[in-house]
Amino acid sequence: MRELALAPETAAFLRREIRHARGREVLFVARVTSDRRVVDPQVLARGDRGKVLAATRFAPPGSLVVHNHPSGVLEPSEADLAIAHALHEEGYGFAIIDNDATELYVVVEPPRPVVPIDPDEVEALLAPGGPLAARHPAYEDRPGQRAYARRIAEVLNTGGVALLEAGTGTGKTFGYLVPLVQWARANSQRVLVATHTIPLQEQLVQKDIPAVLGALGGELRAVLLKGRRNYVSLRRLEQAAAQALSLLPDEHQAQITALLDWSRRTGDGTLSDLPFQPHPDVWDEVASDTDLCLRSRCPHFQRCFYQRARRLAFAADVVVVNHALLLSHFALQKDGGQVIPDAPVLVLDEAHNLEYVATEHLAEAVSRAGLLRRLRRLEHRNRGLLPTLQRSVDRLAAGNDLFATAVHRLVSDRLRPALAPAGEAAGRLFGAIEDLLAQRHQPLLPLDDAFFASRDHAFIEEAGRTLREALGRLVTGLRELERHLEVAEADDAWAGLRLEVRGALHRLAAMHRALLAALDPAEDGPPRVRWAELRRERGEDDRPRTNVLLVAAPVAVAEALHDLVTSGRRAAVLTSATLTVAGRFDFLRERLGVPGGAVTDVFPSPFDFARQACLFVPTDLPVPTGGEEDEHRIAAVADAVLDVTEASRGGVFVLFTSYRDLRAVAARLRTVLPGPVLVQGEAPRSRLLAEFRRSGDAVLLGTASFWEGVDVPGEALRALVIARLPFRVPSDPVVAARTAALEAEGRDAFRDYLLPYAALRLRQGVGRLVRTRTDRGVLVVLDPRLVTRSYGATLLASLPPDLPVRRGPWESLRREISAFYACVS
Ligand code: SF4
């Protein structure tokens, strides 16, 4: 996208007027020509940016409002971003210049009339004989991909929201990139792509977008913008290195040295480029963070990895982000902030995950490990932020004894003594919750009316109040400390310390709010579901540990998601390989708040499932109950997996819905199987998958994250076993709250929520098996309910229509499975 440029006579006019105003702020309005020059400037107002919205009534929509930053730093302030947003809504663009009018920073361009793209041309670009076919030797004609790309081109032309399902193997990514690139070019407009995971974003920017651009020719800039805390802050890293001795324990200091070394070589300064996994406390000390950023006052501002990525994103034509960053941006935008540049066109890939991501993102949570880590960061064995601050005060206060004394007093008399009681109160509260969960043999405790009315509640409430009071004292003290440092901030040396105090303050205040939201919620506001949870995780020393969390999450996120996709957008395409249930979009349309009138369409998988796969469902295996008798079922599942492994000679994925089942089956398989049994949780997912691909005869057992996003094309994967239908657990607090909300409306929560969710999940799981036109394999669902219960029809109707289904006693299916492989080999 060619950038807007000041015509020479415009620059001369702006310069002259700024000189007349003695370098103070002047607001101009100008016209943008079709060859993207800024001409015909006029003065709108002098010295008061607040007048800008009123003053634009004298300028036609489509004009560009320009104002100068006397500092010469063209980075838009939060106020600038808020004005830019409001102006754009009214039809104007907004830009910043320096006082010499030599540089122009366009915050947002004026909206322009739409230039439609030609759907025939879009289709032809993907067709045999087209530029993509010519460029890529492995090109395959995919009529579904062409139809999908055509439909996206039509949606971009008409505007609005679309839900488009593109089955496995359709070539979805190129299918949306081609019309997006054509649109960005024709309209000189930025487009935004949001995906669920960083690996997919990296693949888009490093592989797929360059491939499309290489084939279509011409210049477009594509940029990946990750969440801010993925980037190292050079200023914080420098500060951590200087203060490492007083800030961090000895064992972490080598990591700071390694980070310093890496920061001189890294390309993008993000965690995924780092060759080692930093300790969370170390990364916390050096990560880029809104609260801890000096922005244009930072000596590293020009080199800063995050600021550079942001500048590139604001100058880019295609910006790739993840769902979580998009949600953060949207929340900040409401307060006038801006993380991602404006883009009128959005493609949300992996959209089936949006409800989950939004729920997680909009939830408030506080954990024992997180809170204790925050407290340790303030002080632990005479190291941390507070001791560092006290040491710095004497050095930096330069004879200002009153100031130094006030800071010392506040830190020594109020803050440091408040840390131990806060830690003890946290230990008591989270310990009591852990005991309660252990007594009930449950990993989750809903904090619902029944809990608040129970005897257990009294102690938890008391411990919660004590912790809130202890945190409240810390928050008040840190706020006062921040104010002290603000006064001293005339000296730049203080700025970094003040930001660290502010960061600590904001985090503790957020934990304080989360405690309140979970244990003592306000009566008003949108409905929230609250629970306590015990998680088994790996500690910072890599040893297993238990963590306890308190969470308050929104029951419904549809309204927030509706605003996310519609607000300020011309067109939004929500896409995924799994959006429909039994061929209908109703479920996700409702859950994601998709507006009525949205375009919906399905582009089926091109794979020949009748030839490539077969689904086997035994009718004589035990039905899952969740009770003690489930042990028979687990033994039967393990035996069936052994049978499938023997028939396929390994290359088997087994998907579970619970770790308990997974561990039990893994233990049994290991006593019998000679080949590798790879188990989720025993190594990182990427290593397990690499080992599975390499081995060729392994069995891989996984739960949640293995149901989707796993791509093992070819011979390595020859059989997929699903141990149990993936219904959500009704006792999960979010599920319970959502089903209760539906029942309160007089609806059938099983039919309208649990069943469609299971259907989408099952399709995701099944989608792991056939990844190319030559893949062949069997799919085994070891849960008879798929064919014996009436709802099984909905689940089966959600699978590929030509997938053959065999049902019957396991003994006979076992022979059929062996025959399948005999015929493949
Ligand atoms: S500009 Fe902000 S994020 Fe970048 S190095 Fe400076 S303080 Fe850190």
Side-chain angles (χ1 to χ4, degrees):
M1 187 160 59
R2 195 178 145 200
E3 284 176 21
L4 294 185
L6 295 173
E9 58 280 13
T10 306
F13 176 86
L14 303 180
R15 214 163 21 242
R16 206 166 47 242
E17 289 298 325
I18 293 167
R19 273 195 202 122
H20 282 161
R22 299 209 175 87
R24 289 195 292 271
E25 269 192 71
V26 185
L27 280 157
F28 303 91
V29 67
R31 192 165 63 78
V32 176
T33 63
S34 56
D35 60 348
R36 305 186 52 73
R37 285 179 316 125
V38 180
V39 299
D40 299 343
Q42 293 170 47
V43 174
L44 261 189
R46 288 192 173 82
D48 186 357
R49 248 180 293 169
K51 290 180 191 157
V52 63
L53 281 172
T56 48
R57 68 177 182 273
F58 301 110
S63 304
L64 181 71
V65 174
V66 182
H67 85 114
N68 59 315
H69 271 190
S71 66
V73 176
L74 303 191
E75 178 75 4
S77 64
E78 298 299 319
D80 286 331
L81 293 172
I83 290 173
H85 188 65
L87 278 172
H88 198 259
E89 298 269 295
E90 300 290 321
Y92 301 91
F94 190 60
I96 308 168
I97 49 167
D98 58 333
N99 275 6
D100 291 329
T102 50
E103 279 190 69
L104 178 75
Y105 183 106
V106 180
V107 183
V108 57
E109 291 203 15
R112 272 165 296 155
V114 165
V115 180
I117 52 173
D118 182 354
D120 288 338
E121 194 186 325
V122 165
E123 219 184 315
L125 292 171
L126 288 157
L132 280 147
R135 180 116 181 167
H136 295 285
Y139 169 85
E140 273 180 43
D141 179 29
R142 302 179 204 215
Q145 183 187 51
R146 288 192 267 123
Y148 173 73
R150 163 181 276 278
R151 181 49 56 92
I152 291 181
E154 287 163 356
V155 172
L156 300 185
N157 286 343
T158 55
V161 178
L163 268 176
L164 303 182
E165 179 178 287
T168 323
T170 313
K172 171 165 56 77
T173 311
F174 277 33
Y176 65 67
L177 284 178
V178 168
L180 278 185
V181 164
Q182 292 295 91
W183 176 269
R185 281 209 181 119
N187 289 278
S188 297
Q189 263 183 0
R190 187 179 298 114
V191 294
L192 188 63
V193 179
T195 73
H196 182 43
T197 52
I198 287 185
L200 182 53
Q201 292 166 57
E202 289 179 336
Q203 182 191 311
L204 274 164
V205 172
Q206 289 161 14
K207 225 173 111 212
D208 298 337
I209 297 176
V212 169
L213 295 179
L216 303 191
E219 289 273 301
L220 274 191
R221 279 166 295 185
V223 167
L224 167 57
L225 189 60
K226 297 180 187 172
R228 182 161 189 160
R229 287 185 61 82
N230 280 282
Y231 296 84
V232 71
S233 160
L234 292 170
R235 181 193 67 76
R236 295 195 73 215
L237 176 57
E238 199 176 66
Q239 177 178 286
Q243 297 170 346
L245 282 178
S246 72
L247 207 56
L248 291 164
D250 297 341
E251 64 271 24
H252 295 160
Q253 297 189 12
Q255 288 204 344
I256 292 284
T257 311
L259 279 164
L260 268 175
D261 185 41
W262 163 79
S263 72
R264 294 181 197 111
R265 290 177 282 109
T266 172
D268 70 354
T270 70
L271 268 172
S272 33
D273 189 48
L274 193 56
F276 62 95
Q277 180 79 34
H279 188 282
D281 281 358
V282 173
W283 190 253
D284 217 37
E285 217 52 69
V286 302
S288 176
D289 187 306
T290 314
D291 284 340
L292 304 172
C293 182
L294 277 176
R295 300 186 175 81
S296 53
R297 283 176 62 190
C298 174
H300 302 289
F301 186 71
Q302 289 307 326
R303 261 191 73 217
C304 168
F305 295 110
Y306 171 72
Q307 299 293 354
R308 199 173 63 195
R310 194 165 176 271
R311 277 195 293 273
L312 287 172
F314 275 77
D317 309 280
V318 185
V319 178
V320 179
V321 297
N322 70 4
H323 294 167
L325 186 61
L326 188 64
L327 283 153
S328 299
H329 165 74
F330 188 65
L332 266 176
Q333 209 177 29
K334 287 187 181 151
D335 300 327
Q338 186 168 23
V339 182
I340 300 171
D342 284 328
V345 166
L346 164 71
V347 168
L348 264 163
D349 199 353
E350 302 176 305
H352 61 278
N353 277 313
L354 268 178
E355 188 183 32
Y356 166 76
V357 179
T359 306
E360 219 181 30
H361 196 79
L362 299 173
E364 293 182 87
V366 52
S367 75
R368 174 169 61 193
L371 175 52
L372 294 179
R373 191 149 65 85
R374 274 295 137 215
L375 298 177
R376 265 200 325 266
R377 270 209 71 217
L378 287 173
E379 187 197 344
H380 182 58
R381 295 194 188 136
N382 209 24
R383 293 192 184 177
L385 180 59
L386 296 178
T388 303
L389 179 71
Q390 285 192 295
R391 281 176 205 122
S392 307
V393 163
D394 297 329
R395 194 166 36 83
L396 294 171
N400 186 348
D401 292 341
L402 272 179
F403 167 74
T405 308
V407 170
H408 273 304
R409 258 205 203 130
L410 182 53
V411 174
S412 301
D413 297 352
R414 285 176 50 196
L415 282 164
R416 289 177 80 166
L419 287 170
E424 283 156 20
R428 261 197 310 280
L429 171 66
F430 289 108
I433 294 171
E434 188 169 4
D435 290 346
L436 205 54
L437 288 165
Q439 274 167 29
R440 296 183 179 202
H441 304 289
Q442 293 290 343
L444 288 171
L445 171 67
L447 302 175
D448 53 12
D449 291 347
F451 168 74
F452 285 111
S454 72
R455 283 209 331 237
D456 295 328
H457 169 236
F459 182 73
I460 302 272
E461 190 193 31
E462 180 54 35
R465 191 177 312 117
T466 311
L467 178 56
R468 284 207 309 280
E469 283 166 7
L471 287 184
R473 281 192 288 280
L474 276 170
V475 166
T476 311
L478 285 169
R479 197 165 283 136
E480 215 169 297
L481 183 58
E482 195 205 6
R483 276 201 297 272
H484 276 303
L485 298 176
E486 204 169 338
V487 175
E489 208 190 308
D491 181 345
D492 260 10
W494 287 106
L497 280 169
R498 180 182 154 235
L499 288 179
E500 296 294 332
V501 169
R502 190 208 284 175
L505 164 64
H506 286 185
R507 298 228 162 73
L508 277 183
M511 290 177 169
H512 188 259
R513 279 196 305 274
L515 268 178
L516 206 62
L519 294 178
D520 196 4
E523 298 286 313
D524 52 357
R528 307 205 107 203
V529 48
R530 295 175 289 278
W531 71 94
E533 183 176 345
L534 185 71
R535 275 194 201 160
R536 288 178 210 291
E537 48 192 40
R538 292 214 165 257
E540 286 133 16
D541 51 5
D542 210 33
R543 292 211 196 110
R545 68 164 183 206
T546 54
N547 193 5
V548 180
L549 291 90
L550 287 166
V551 189
V555 174
V557 294
E559 210 178 303
L561 289 172
H562 173 278
D563 293 349
L564 176 81
V565 297
T566 55
S567 168
R569 307 246 179 260
R570 170 179 175 72
V573 176
L574 282 70
T575 191
S576 162
T578 49
L579 293 176
T580 57
V581 175
R584 298 177 63 88
F585 285 93
D586 306 0
F587 175 61
L588 280 185
R589 187 204 282 271
E590 179 186 347
R591 303 308 306 175
L592 305 184
V594 174
V599 171
T600 55
D601 214 339
V602 176
F603 302 87
S605 168
F607 299 146
D608 180 359
F609 284 95
R611 187 185 59 80
Q612 293 183 258
C614 187
L615 166 63
F616 296 88
V617 190
T619 47
D620 56 349
L621 254 62
V623 169
T625 60
E628 288 300 311
E629 65 279 22
D630 239 18
E631 277 183 26
H632 300 298
R633 184 180 65 82
I634 298 299
V637 166
D639 288 345
V641 171
L642 284 170
D643 290 341
V644 175
T645 307
E646 190 184 319
S648 65
R649 301 209 174 100
V652 183
F653 254 16
V654 193
L655 295 177
F656 293 86
T657 53
S658 85
Y659 275 108
R660 196 191 60 145
D661 290 3
L662 178 148
R663 282 193 295 267
V665 172
R668 166 104 175 93
L669 296 186
R670 280 190 165 140
T671 60
V672 184
L673 281 178
V677 177
L678 307 168
V679 177
Q680 182 180 354
E682 293 184 357
R685 182 178 126 123
S686 54
R687 205 184 312 153
L688 290 174
L689 285 169
E691 176 60 20
F692 183 81
R693 288 189 190 101
R694 195 199 56 73
S695 145
D697 64 351
V699 178
L700 194 154
L701 283 67
T703 63
S705 70
F706 282 80
W707 281 77
E708 57 181 280
V710 172
D711 189 20
V712 184
E715 268 288 287
L717 177 60
R718 301 184 284 284
L720 177 78
V721 180
I722 288 177
R724 179 179 180 158
L725 291 175
F727 284 110
R728 295 201 69 177
V729 187
S731 58
D732 175 316
V734 173
V735 177
R738 288 183 175 156
T739 50
L742 287 167
E743 275 157 13
E745 290 171 25
R747 294 173 58 181
D748 180 338
F750 180 77
R751 186 197 60 206
D752 292 350
Y753 183 66
L754 295 172
L755 181 59
Y757 176 87
L760 287 176
R761 196 83 177 134
L762 183 64
R763 288 182 69 200
Q764 278 290 341
V766 168
R768 301 311 100 216
L769 181 65
V770 177
R771 308 299 295 172
T772 73
R773 284 181 203 267
T774 51
D775 287 356
R776 293 197 67 192
V778 303
L779 170 66
V780 185
V781 176
L782 298 173
D783 188 333
R785 295 176 298 173
L786 182 59
V787 292
T788 56
R789 300 286 160 89
S790 57
Y791 58 73
T794 303
L795 300 174
L796 285 172
S798 301
L799 299 179
D802 54 343
L803 176 69
V805 183
R806 302 269 183 275
R807 60 195 84 192
W810 179 242
E811 247 337 281
S812 96
L813 296 189
R814 201 163 73 91
R815 284 195 293 275
E816 284 195 54
I817 291 171
S818 298
F820 180 97
Y821 287 108
C823 142
V824 168
S825 55

